[in-house]
Amino acid sequence: MEMINQKDFNLASIDVGSNASRLLIKNVGIDLEGDIKMRKELFLRVPLRLGMEVFKNGEISEYKEDQFMHTMKAYKQLMKVFHVHSHRACCTSAMRDAKNGKKVLADINKETGLGLEIISGDEESQIIYDSHLSLFQGKGNFLYVDVGGGSTEIVFISDGDRRLEHSYNIGTIRLLDGAVKKSETHRLREELSDACKDISDIEIIGSGGNINKLYRIASNREKKAGVLPVATLKKLHEKLSKMSVEERMNEYDMKPDRADVIVPAAEIFMLVAESVGAELIRVPNLGLVDGLINEMANKIKAEKFKG
């Protein structure tokens, strides 16, 4: 990574998920003591929904590739507008599963120069975990859960000891498509039960747009600052599951691509909570795009203070 001499600079990250793609641009400053301060400059989400095709047909169509290409070209221009110094662009579950995923990325990278890469589920969970590291400090039992369209990333930390870290092919788009295997759900239950056996007071740290939205629409009487009780989540799920997609959109000001996946997202969080007996979900509103920028900023800091 090129050495940075100026006081502050802009970094960007791109996350191409199974339901949506996201561009995040942050202004980053590193002071003489090595403290990092960040300020969000731009966040843009585009509902590409690559998983809708991949989990049904196994590949990305020419039409969807064209949408993908236009989105990445738009991101590239926005990065120029904001004078982005460095960026990282990652693709997750849908692109991991797509038979033509490597070819599609090669075509897009040739046109845009973005250097899009497909990351493994384990690397995805590691990046997101690192972005939440401050939440795991000290004693306590923390289960990090990131629910996406194609997969769910889980990391379990007990008193600083990492007991489980895995990516499961259980996601909101897969559930809508009926593409989640019973064996995968069983594996999640079994591995969580084994890792958390004889451990109580487990607190879930939830990540992803759906848990953020569920937290926002929960009654203020039933939630604390940054914390959503599992009992409240169950009430929300019961109410939302009885509504049509259009009713959810109208009552809760949801976009169509949020209104259809929010119920399966709640079901995944409920499944995890039930498997470990958790009663609370902390919602810090951080995701993969944040983790990617944190990772880049820390590498720049290490280079600046090297020696």
Side-chain angles (χ1 to χ4, degrees):
M1 186 175 288
E2 181 187 343
M3 182 64 179
I4 296 178
N5 295 315
Q6 65 261 39
K7 187 170 117 181
D8 63 288
F9 47 89
N10 285 346
L11 298 177
S13 59
I14 296 171
D15 164 23
V16 180
S18 302
N19 190 37
S21 69
R22 301 162 188 84
L23 168 67
L24 176 64
I25 299 175
K26 285 187 176 182
N27 181 263
V28 179
I30 304 175
D31 65 22
L32 294 175
E33 283 72 45
D35 293 328
I36 299 174
K37 292 186 178 180
M38 298 190 193
R39 181 184 69 249
K40 183 169 69 175
E41 298 288 335
L42 175 73
F43 177 74
L44 181 62
R45 178 181 181 276
V46 177
L48 277 177
R49 316 213 89 175
L50 299 178
M52 283 293 194
E53 290 190 344
V54 173
F55 303 142
K56 280 185 178 178
N57 308 318
E59 61 182 19
I60 296 166
S61 68
E62 289 184 13
Y63 171 75
K64 190 60 71 173
E65 180 179 354
D66 192 50
Q67 282 187 311
F68 192 175
M69 179 76 78
H70 284 303
T71 302
M72 294 304 108
K73 285 182 175 180
Y75 287 179
K76 182 67 177 286
Q77 294 306 312
L78 285 167
M79 287 163 58
K80 287 181 179 179
V81 169
F82 282 86
H83 303 290
V84 167
H85 176 272
S86 302
H87 76 277
R88 189 176 180 195
C90 296
C91 305
T92 57
S93 187
M95 293 301 290
R96 289 196 289 263
D97 283 14
K99 289 183 289 189
N100 60 342
K102 290 182 179 178
K103 180 185 180 304
V104 168
L105 281 197
D107 292 343
I108 292 174
N109 282 331
K110 184 177 179 180
E111 286 286 321
T112 66
L114 283 174
L116 282 154
E117 57 184 304
I118 300 172
I119 61 173
S120 68
D122 288 342
E123 183 177 1
E124 183 181 357
S125 63
Q126 180 64 54
I127 292 168
I128 303 171
Y129 163 72
D130 287 345
S131 74
H132 291 77
L133 200 55
S134 62
L135 299 174
F136 292 107
Q137 299 300 320
K139 296 286 185 179
N141 304 305
F142 303 102
L143 186 69
Y144 169 75
V145 183
D146 178 68
V147 174
S151 63
T152 293
E153 275 60 54
I154 290 179
V155 179
F156 177 51
I157 308 292
S158 179
D159 292 337
D161 179 28
R162 192 180 311 196
R163 296 193 171 208
L164 175 69
E165 179 179 348
H166 201 78
S167 176
Y168 299 90
N169 284 334
I170 302 171
T172 58
I173 297 294
R174 285 189 198 268
L175 280 174
L176 284 178
D177 286 348
V180 173
K181 296 179 180 178
K182 289 184 179 179
S183 59
E184 189 75 347
T185 303
H186 178 73
R187 186 161 72 99
L188 181 146
R189 284 184 183 275
E190 288 291 305
E191 291 183 356
L192 281 178
S193 296
D194 288 344
C196 303
K197 187 167 54 178
D198 301 324
I199 297 175
S200 58
D201 299 324
I202 294 173
E203 187 171 342
I204 294 174
I205 298 179
S207 178
N210 289 299
I211 196 65
N212 294 334
K213 185 67 174 180
L214 286 161
Y215 172 78
R216 286 196 295 271
I217 66 178
S219 165
N220 287 329
R221 299 190 311 274
E222 298 189 19
K223 65 184 178 185
K224 303 173 186 176
V227 176
L228 180 67
V230 172
T232 300
L233 175 63
K234 290 178 179 178
K235 290 179 186 176
L236 277 173
H237 171 264
E238 184 178 1
K239 182 176 181 180
L240 290 167
S241 61
K242 294 176 181 177
M243 301 169 71
S244 67
V245 170
E246 291 74 19
E247 287 170 336
R248 295 173 204 156
M249 289 169 59
N250 292 332
E251 183 162 343
Y252 295 109
D253 191 28
M254 293 185 196
K255 295 178 181 178
D257 62 296
R258 177 70 67 210
D260 62 350
V261 297
I262 199 161
V263 168
E267 290 168 356
I268 296 171
F269 277 104
M270 288 161 54
L271 167 66
V272 172
E274 179 188 343
S275 299
V276 301
E279 296 180 356
L280 298 173
I281 301 174
R282 201 186 299 186
V283 188
N285 197 17
L286 294 172
L288 180 61
V289 281
D290 300 277
L292 290 168
I293 287 183
N294 290 346
E295 186 181 71
M296 286 186 285
N298 283 318
K299 285 181 180 178
I300 292 169
K301 172 185 170 179
E303 185 65 27
K304 285 174 75 78
F305 288 86
K306 181 169 66 174

